[in-house]
Amino acid sequence: MAGGYVPPHARRGKNTSSSASTTIASPTLDAFERELRAASKRISRAETAEEGLALYARTLENLRAFVASSSQDERGDEARVSLANAALEYAGEIMRVERRKALSTTTRADEARTKERAISCAQDALRAFEGLSGSPLEKANGVATALSRIVELGGGGDNAAEVSATLARAVEMYDYCATSIENSQAHEDVMPALWNCADARLKVAEHRAETGDVDGASTSYRESFSLYERACGFCDANRGDDLSGLLYDWGCSLTSYALFLAQSLDASEDAVRIADAAVEKLRAAGQFAIGDVGALNALGDAYQTKAEILSRFDDAAPAVDNLRLAICEAYDVALKLNSTELNSTIGRGEAHMALAALFRRSGDHARADEASDTAWKAYDKALKLGDKNDPGTCEERFEVVYNAACAANRAGQRDAARHLLSQLLLCDGTTQEAIDNDPDLK
């Protein structure tokens, strides 16, 4: 079976807090906004998605022309902000439409080309924000938002120095915004500003961890937690602040840190403690947003992370207990709210496959076979489900298919496993060597 599940911070279900401000006031900009809403509505339906993208592209071109014609008058900044936000939205939409397509032999190449287009749009947004001549705060927040989006889309690629520089600039801009807002004593804006600072440092931490900078990653993780805590202190539910969203991001960052501690520092006991803190935050996030499947999925991921760490110890019982909690407290509850929720279905399959592995390790082959059969049923269902929002990158989707093949084989469904693997090989989603060396695919 391929390495685990999609990291919790990568799972969809919550909007990130980082966003640029925008104000549409003039009649012309109102018209552009109506066109963009119409385009987004069409994109949400698979049968009209391409039509929606075409409308989005035309509206963006018209917005660019409008910005050029109004650059020297009082409408200039307003138009640039509208253009920047529209470009960031379009970047997300073209990636979403591409990822909803069926996997094929050209999926990886098609997604790479679309990603380049999306990064170009985010860079357009960055230039538009950099061109603002009015509020320094609005400019800094917009620049930081665009920079963060460029990194999320894969801007910089394998160039670690370029990615680090982009993230460093985003952190600098967000810090400027937070400091300015705190000094102005505009308390209603402090929480989102600090939240953005925390999210940016989490990106830095994860990037440093990926590049082997263990000390730098540890520092950035701790800085992000401190900022989440400070942001929480400024949260006011009576003002409509999104406490659930803040706790969600905080909890996901703790889950990420727990994995880092276990994998990079071999600090399993500390990792378990951090995973417990993640569970606590994500439970609270769900309590403030009843019925939010995103928070439930993240809770399930936190339990799975804790189980993965506990499985390193001789006694497998605590790991088994946490996997059962992931299923019963999180994924099953989410599926009761929405029986076709893709991430919950995948999470259920992952958790049962992990249970099967632990049962086999302890010699309980009957329960291992039962868990494998349940895992395959969950994966089989997931493969038949669509996700009108965003089913994930091609690499994430390839991993789901691969893990489904592992579950099928363990459940005795050899023909299904062979079919899935043959399709993956055609799509370059795995290698024969990986298949030959995987004990789940004997």
Side-chain angles (χ1 to χ4, degrees), residues 103-119:
L103 292 173
S104 73
T105 57
T106 64
T107 293
R108 183 177 279 113
D110 292 342
E111 188 171 297
R113 283 192 292 270
T114 303
K115 184 185 291 185
E116 289 302 314
R117 287 174 57 204
I119 292 170

Side-chain angles (χ1 to χ4, degrees), residues 210-245:
E210 289 171 4
T211 57
D213 181 3
V214 174
D215 290 341
S218 298
T219 299
S220 293
Y221 272 119
R222 289 193 294 269
E223 288 175 349
S224 72
F225 302 146
S226 176
L227 285 161
Y228 283 126
E229 187 169 10
R230 285 179 61 201
C232 197
F234 284 96
C235 191
D236 185 348
N238 294 325
R239 201 167 51 217
D241 289 342
D242 184 11
L243 180 56
S244 171

Side-chain angles (χ1 to χ4, degrees), residues 285-302:
Q287 290 168 357
F288 283 102
I290 302 298
D292 184 346
V293 296
L296 288 166
N297 285 336
L299 176 61
D301 296 342

Side-chain angles (χ1 to χ4, degrees), residues 213-288:
D213 181 3
V214 174
D215 290 341
S218 298
T219 299
S220 293
Y221 272 119
R222 289 193 294 269
E223 288 175 349
S224 72
F225 302 146
S226 176
L227 285 161
Y228 283 126
E229 187 169 10
R230 285 179 61 201
C232 197
F234 284 96
C235 191
D236 185 348
N238 294 325
R239 201 167 51 217
D241 289 342
D242 184 11
L243 180 56
S244 171
L246 175 62
L247 291 171
Y248 172 92
D249 279 358
W250 192 354
C252 288
S253 70
L254 286 164
T255 305
S256 173
Y257 185 48
L259 275 175
F260 166 76
L261 287 173
Q263 295 173 351
S264 299
L265 296 176
D266 198 24
S268 296
E269 292 185 1
D270 286 341
V272 169
R273 177 177 54 81
I274 296 299
D276 281 334
V279 166
E280 179 186 347
K281 293 291 183 294
L282 291 165
R283 275 181 177 163
Q287 290 168 357
F288 283 102

Side-chain angles (χ1 to χ4, degrees), residues 114-332:
T114 303
K115 184 185 291 185
E116 289 302 314
R117 287 174 57 204
I119 292 170
S120 179
C121 288
Q123 290 168 338
D124 284 347
L126 174 61
R127 287 188 287 271
F129 281 127
E130 287 174 332
L132 295 181
S133 57
S135 167
L137 197 59
E138 184 173 41
K139 178 177 179 177
N141 188 64
V143 166
T145 300
L147 290 167
S148 295
R149 189 71 179 122
I150 288 168
V151 171
E152 288 169 4
L153 289 166
D158 296 329
N159 189 330
E162 181 178 342
V163 175
S164 295
T166 303
L167 287 172
R169 189 181 173 204
V171 167
E172 180 184 357
M173 293 293 100
Y174 278 136
D175 283 353
Y176 166 77
C177 292
T179 300
S180 299
I181 291 170
E182 280 192 282
N183 290 341
S184 69
Q185 296 186 341
H187 294 302
E188 68 275 9
D189 296 325
V190 175
M191 191 273 279
L194 292 172
W195 185 354
N196 283 339
C197 291
D199 284 349
R201 278 174 172 78
L202 175 61
K203 292 184 179 72
V204 171
E206 292 176 337
H207 173 66
R208 287 176 170 171
E210 289 171 4
T211 57
D213 181 3
V214 174
D215 290 341
S218 298
T219 299
S220 293
Y221 272 119
R222 289 193 294 269
E223 288 175 349
S224 72
F225 302 146
S226 176
L227 285 161
Y228 283 126
E229 187 169 10
R230 285 179 61 201
C232 197
F234 284 96
C235 191
D236 185 348
N238 294 325
R239 201 167 51 217
D241 289 342
D242 184 11
L243 180 56
S244 171
L246 175 62
L247 291 171
Y248 172 92
D249 279 358
W250 192 354
C252 288
S253 70
L254 286 164
T255 305
S256 173
Y257 185 48
L259 275 175
F260 166 76
L261 287 173
Q263 295 173 351
S264 299
L265 296 176
D266 198 24
S268 296
E269 292 185 1
D270 286 341
V272 169
R273 177 177 54 81
I274 296 299
D276 281 334
V279 166
E280 179 186 347
K281 293 291 183 294
L282 291 165
R283 275 181 177 163
Q287 290 168 357
F288 283 102
I290 302 298
D292 184 346
V293 296
L296 288 166
N297 285 336
L299 176 61
D301 296 342
Y303 275 128
Q304 282 211 69
T305 296
K306 185 180 174 185
E308 180 182 330
I309 299 163
L310 289 168
S311 68
R312 299 174 175 217
F313 301 110
D314 292 335
D315 183 5
V320 169
D321 290 343
N322 276 271
L323 287 169
R324 286 174 171 157
L325 288 170
I327 295 165
C328 298
E329 275 194 24
Y331 302 130
D332 282 357

